[in-house]
Amino acid sequence: EGSSAVDLGRELLRKFKTLRAISACDPAELHEIKGLSTAKIAQIKAAVELGRRMMSEERALEGPIRSSADVAGYLMPLLRDLKHEVFKVVLLDRRNSVLDVVDIDEGDVAQTQPSIRTIMLRAAQAYAAGLIAVHNHPSGDPMPSEQDKLLTRDLVIAGRAMEIRVFDHLIVGDGRYFSFADEGLIEEYERQAIILGRA
């Protein structure tokens, strides 16, 4: 009996290979392992989630954000294995230091439906000078959809109108991410915002 927890741990790793796989699995799969009650499954899931949060805190966002990699390194451990989409916004002060990271929306496997108005309201309430949008693709493929592109463009345009700079939108996949800024798309949307402002 004394080694049952160790035995269960070995059995879990034998079946799923990695802690990430255990975290991402359906609870029904865990029920197939002998000796795992619903309460123990809940404890395992909670322990893995704590581990994910600790990984994220170890890479805490301190000082000014200098690149997409700074944000990805912090949020990827929290987002990459989720089975549903989560949309977060990193709010920045005038020195590009993090004021807060806020949850905006959660969706099904397909997509979230974040509201531009909600994002800008949260930024304004925090007196943010800028923001970085971040969401995950449960499929693991971080390439943006047309809807992702339209949302980002509209966010940049709304940000310009409210004097809140949208620095980037990151899409987190399985161990990799897509950055709208790194790909030159934020710059392109800013040009469109300027043209619309003159119209």
Side-chain angles (χ1 to χ4, degrees), residues 1-106:
E1 281 299 313
S3 64
S4 65
V6 175
D7 291 340
L8 280 172
R10 283 197 185 118
E11 176 65 17
L12 282 167
L13 285 172
R14 188 187 62 73
K15 182 175 171 67
F16 295 102
K17 307 292 187 244
T18 66
L19 289 174
R20 279 185 61 203
I22 294 169
S23 165
C25 79
D26 190 287
E29 292 179 79
L30 292 172
H31 274 292
E32 293 170 10
I33 295 175
K34 192 180 175 200
L36 274 189
S37 63
T38 304
K40 279 186 181 172
I41 289 169
Q43 286 176 334
I44 289 165
K45 286 285 193 181
V48 173
E49 180 59 26
L50 275 173
R52 285 156 64 93
R53 289 178 187 225
M54 282 172 65
M55 274 178 66
S56 183
E57 283 171 15
E58 280 170 15
R59 303 173 186 181
L61 288 168
E62 291 175 359
I65 298 295
R66 292 191 173 87
S67 69
S68 60
D70 290 346
V71 179
Y74 173 68
L75 287 175
M76 199 177 282
L78 293 176
L79 295 176
R80 69 181 177 191
D81 295 321
L82 297 179
K83 296 286 192 194
H84 59 284
E85 275 199 11
V86 173
F87 197 100
K88 294 179 180 283
V89 173
V90 179
L91 301 175
L92 305 170
D93 66 14
R94 296 197 181 284
R95 294 181 305 279
N96 287 356
S97 293
V98 177
L99 292 168
D100 200 1
V101 179
V102 295
D103 292 333
I104 298 295
D105 195 18
E106 286 195 31

Side-chain angles (χ1 to χ4, degrees), residues 27-195:
E29 292 179 79
L30 292 172
H31 274 292
E32 293 170 10
I33 295 175
K34 192 180 175 200
L36 274 189
S37 63
T38 304
K40 279 186 181 172
I41 289 169
Q43 286 176 334
I44 289 165
K45 286 285 193 181
V48 173
E49 180 59 26
L50 275 173
R52 285 156 64 93
R53 289 178 187 225
M54 282 172 65
M55 274 178 66
S56 183
E57 283 171 15
E58 280 170 15
R59 303 173 186 181
L61 288 168
E62 291 175 359
I65 298 295
R66 292 191 173 87
S67 69
S68 60
D70 290 346
V71 179
Y74 173 68
L75 287 175
M76 199 177 282
L78 293 176
L79 295 176
R80 69 181 177 191
D81 295 321
L82 297 179
K83 296 286 192 194
H84 59 284
E85 275 199 11
V86 173
F87 197 100
K88 294 179 180 283
V89 173
V90 179
L91 301 175
L92 305 170
D93 66 14
R94 296 197 181 284
R95 294 181 305 279
N96 287 356
S97 293
V98 177
L99 292 168
D100 200 1
V101 179
V102 295
D103 292 333
I104 298 295
D105 195 18
E106 286 195 31
D108 57 20
V109 176
Q111 62 198 27
T112 55
Q113 296 285 328
S115 154
I116 303 275
R117 182 181 292 176
T118 302
I119 294 167
M120 286 300 157
L121 180 62
R122 296 296 292 275
Q125 286 169 337
Y127 298 99
L131 65 84
I132 296 168
V134 186
H135 83 280
N136 64 308
H137 278 178
S139 67
D141 180 2
M143 291 308 289
S145 66
E146 281 308 308
Q147 191 168 355
D148 291 332
K149 290 177 183 176
L150 288 172
L151 171 76
T152 310
R153 185 202 65 190
D154 291 349
L155 200 54
V156 169
I157 291 167
R160 185 171 174 80
M162 290 187 66
E163 298 180 354
I164 297 169
R165 180 127 186 244
V166 177
F167 286 100
D168 204 350
H169 179 182
L170 299 185
I171 303 174
V172 173
D174 185 7
R176 56 205 172 106
Y177 67 92
F178 180 93
S179 160
F180 278 78
D182 293 353
E183 298 299 324
L185 289 167
I186 295 291
E187 210 175 319
E188 184 183 315
Y189 300 151
E190 283 175 342
R191 281 197 296 270
Q192 289 177 25
I194 291 165
I195 291 164

